[in-house]
Amino acid sequence: MPKSTATTLGLVFCLLATPLAVPTPAHAVTININIGTNLNHGRPITCREGEWRIRDRGFRDVRRIDCRGRFFVYRAWRGAQRFEISLDRRNGRVVDFRRIRR
């Protein structure tokens, strides 16, 4: 048997033995945020970084309400609901999370 034929048969056998990649079904991504959620792995955050972290969790129109003192307070929209979120500046942990009326 010629060398090229053996190589071709070996390649065909490898392709047949390899399972085909089956696409996985797409699912909607839900990102939950609750009191006690740590947004920065226990490291201190800045007011701007807190705003980015909240936006990365699926909120839009994030507004800084108070960035003085121990806690940073933000208001943001998710879907048709408005939320007020407070973060601890020392560790990036969510200390208060509540839905507010328009």
Side-chain angles (χ1 to χ4, degrees):
M1 188 185 281
K3 190 174 187 178
S4 63
T5 306
T7 305
T8 304
L9 287 175
L11 181 61
V12 168
F13 178 72
C14 288
L15 290 175
L16 290 175
T18 306
L20 296 175
V22 179
T24 58
H27 298 287
V29 176
T30 303
I31 302 172
N32 293 326
I33 185 172
N34 297 317
I35 294 176
T37 302
N38 199 335
L39 300 182
N40 201 30
H41 306 292
R43 294 184 301 251
I45 62 170
T46 63
C47 189
R48 178 176 284 170
E49 187 177 2
E51 180 181 351
W52 292 337
R53 300 279 178 177
I54 291 171
R55 190 169 284 126
D56 287 344
R57 296 299 195 280
F59 291 89
R60 62 181 169 81
D61 297 333
V62 179
R63 307 260 186 240
R64 298 179 212 164
I65 302 300
D66 185 16
C67 286
R68 299 169 297 175
R70 183 175 171 188
F71 305 110
F72 298 145
V73 181
Y74 306 90
R75 287 196 179 151
W77 289 87
R78 178 183 256 177
Q81 298 176 351
R82 193 169 185 199
F83 293 91
E84 186 170 280
I85 305 161
S86 298
L87 304 179
D88 189 334
R89 74 182 310 165
R90 294 177 300 142
N91 56 18
R93 190 172 297 252
V94 177
V95 293
D96 190 23
F97 177 76
R98 59 186 165 162
R99 187 172 47 187
I100 57 176
R101 300 205 185 264
R102 296 181 197 189

